[in-house]
Amino acid sequence: MASDFQTIPIIDIGPLVDKADDPKMAEDKQVLEVVRLLDEACKMAGFFYVKGHGIPYSLIEEVRELTHKFFTLPYEEKIKIKMTPASGYRGYQRVGENITKGKPDMHEAIDCYKPMKHGEYGNLGTPLEGSNLWPDNPLNFKSLMEEYIDLLKDLSRKIMRGIALALGGLPESFEGELAGNPFWVTRLIGYPVLSDAKRSEMQDSDVGCGAHTDYGLLTLVNQDPNVNALQVRNRAGEWISAVPIPGTFVCNIGDMLKIWSNGIYESTLHRVINNSPTYRVSIAFFYEPNFNACIEPVNFCKEKVNGVATVEKAVYGEHLVKKVLTNFVM
């Protein structure tokens, strides 16, 4: 396994997107080449860019533009959808309310989760029960974001089918009781501009968002094209910039895929440092297992290490709720 990647690979997933629902997808040579590249990227970096994903670039841009518009509103307007425990931790959080490893993050955000009915997952889901809080301004914010989320759910499912093949399973290995009713999280994040003095002072610090791994399966990030802020730590401990590439999503694998793959794929540390003179927006979509799924190494990955599980199992919902309840200062 490579330990010192210096660039993040770019993968054209067009053939996989086109054939993901074809029963014979695993026999298609172009699909298998995408699968090979996904496997290589997940083993090497845990991060990769995807192009050829089929999501209209106009929609990707519009989502960012509306997010910018929301964050430019007066504070009094933004807190109309303020996140609270009573809202199921859904809604707006001001700069510094999100905590990573005990330190406030220099960003503001809107947090959204898959809507959850009262009692749907018993006590396990109680802290996150509710519907998302969408602002009335900009006017078409809710409809646009819901359209975008639906498209990314389907795209993520298709990428996961390729990853299942890459690990030696069937395309549907991570569906059904595991992720046939996938949970999802969307964070619309704004990183403010720091003063010149602050930028030089914080240059090597975890400013925008501290170093962390993601909780679930697969993350797709839509980031502003003109601000270089996302950084990924390679296996040698160096921080590598995930430079924005227009028309692509930056993807990374999370903690639950590390477990399912029996550690074959690692969830990679990453952080955000906005040292630019420009306000930065990033929309992160997190594709997750079923909320109540017990996540443990799948047999076809255990077979690669003499049938032994090398990572501990977890219930996804428990893992998520534990993180959420310690992530915010209210």
Side-chain angles (χ1 to χ4, degrees):
M1 182 185 296
S3 62
D4 58 351
F5 67 90
Q6 297 298 315
T7 58
I8 297 168
I10 305 169
I11 304 174
D12 184 345
I13 60 169
L16 173 61
V17 170
D18 292 342
K19 299 278 187 176
D21 292 314
D22 185 334
K24 296 183 178 181
M25 66 173 287
E27 301 171 18
D28 186 284
K29 289 183 180 180
Q30 289 182 307
V31 170
L32 291 178
E33 176 60 12
V34 175
V35 167
R36 184 188 70 79
L37 293 171
L38 284 172
D39 184 52
E40 189 176 85
C42 289
K43 286 177 177 173
M44 177 184 74
F47 266 76
F48 50 94
Y49 298 90
V50 294
K51 64 179 184 178
H53 46 68
I55 310 295
Y57 187 58
S58 58
L59 177 61
I60 293 172
E61 282 189 309
E62 192 175 1
V63 165
R64 288 198 310 268
E65 288 167 4
L66 279 196
T67 303
H68 270 286
K69 285 181 181 178
F70 174 82
F71 286 133
T72 60
L73 294 174
Y75 178 69
E76 294 75 21
E77 187 72 18
K78 291 186 281 192
I79 61 170
K80 288 180 179 178
I81 59 164
K82 178 177 171 57
M83 173 197 289
T84 65
S87 73
Y89 292 90
R90 301 160 189 263
Y92 172 74
Q93 59 186 263
R94 59 181 172 78
V95 174
E97 281 189 334
N98 193 86
I99 303 294
T100 301
K101 296 183 179 176
K103 295 182 180 180
D105 292 320
M106 295 299 293
H107 69 249
E108 56 186 329
I110 301 176
D111 278 18
C112 315
Y113 300 94
K114 181 181 180 180
M116 191 184 293
K117 295 176 184 176
H118 178 68
E120 187 174 353
Y121 294 106
N123 291 336
L124 177 64
T126 299
L128 298 180
E129 287 177 353
S131 300
N132 292 312
L133 303 180
W134 299 109
D136 294 328
N137 182 16
L139 285 176
N140 60 334
F141 198 95
K142 179 179 186 289
S143 59
L144 185 83
M145 293 302 172
E146 289 182 340
E147 176 190 358
Y148 179 77
I149 288 167
D150 283 344
L151 289 172
L152 264 65
K153 279 193 295 184
D154 192 54
L155 174 59
S156 300
R157 178 186 65 86
K158 291 174 177 178
I159 295 172
M160 283 303 304
R161 289 193 140 213
I163 287 174
L165 286 173
L167 285 166
L170 297 172
E172 64 273 15
S173 295
F174 299 129
E175 297 175 11
E177 292 183 0
L178 297 179
N181 182 26
F183 199 71
W184 56 263
V185 181
T186 301
R187 299 198 77 226
L188 298 95
I189 313 168
Y191 297 90
V193 175
L194 302 176
S195 68
D196 289 341
K198 201 71 172 173
R199 280 204 301 277
S200 60
E201 176 187 326
M202 294 290 199
Q203 198 158 17
D204 296 319
S205 302
D206 298 343
V207 179
C209 186
H212 64 284
T213 58
D214 290 343
Y215 314 150
L217 282 183
L218 183 69
T219 305
L220 280 68
V221 178
N222 171 5
Q223 57 177 340
D224 269 339
N226 57 341
V227 184
N228 186 12
L230 177 61
Q231 300 178 355
V232 181
R233 196 174 78 170
N234 68 13
R235 310 299 187 225
E238 303 164 321
W239 289 103
I240 307 301
S241 289
V243 178
I245 301 175
T248 69
F249 292 103
V250 186
C251 298
N252 63 278
I253 58 180
D255 298 339
M256 297 300 103
L257 187 51
K258 175 182 177 179
I259 297 174
W260 268 343
S261 71
N262 203 23
I264 293 170
Y265 296 163
E266 286 278 352
S267 45
T268 304
L269 278 172
H270 51 286
R271 66 185 185 183
V272 177
I273 300 180
N274 184 15
N275 281 320
S276 81
T278 305
Y279 189 97
R280 175 184 185 261
V281 152
S282 171
I283 295 91
F285 175 79
F286 305 90
Y287 185 78
E288 316 287 67
N290 292 357
F291 189 79
N292 57 354
C294 181
I295 311 302
E296 56 188 330
V298 293
N299 287 332
F300 55 86
C301 289
K302 285 198 294 186
E303 287 168 1
K304 297 181 181 183
V305 284
N306 300 317
V308 177
T310 62
V311 290
E312 293 184 9
K313 64 183 179 181
V315 174
Y316 168 69
E318 287 180 359
H319 184 70
L320 174 64
V321 168
K322 182 180 178 182
K323 296 285 189 179
V324 169
L325 295 182
T326 58
N327 267 11
F328 304 105
V329 175
M330 298 294 182

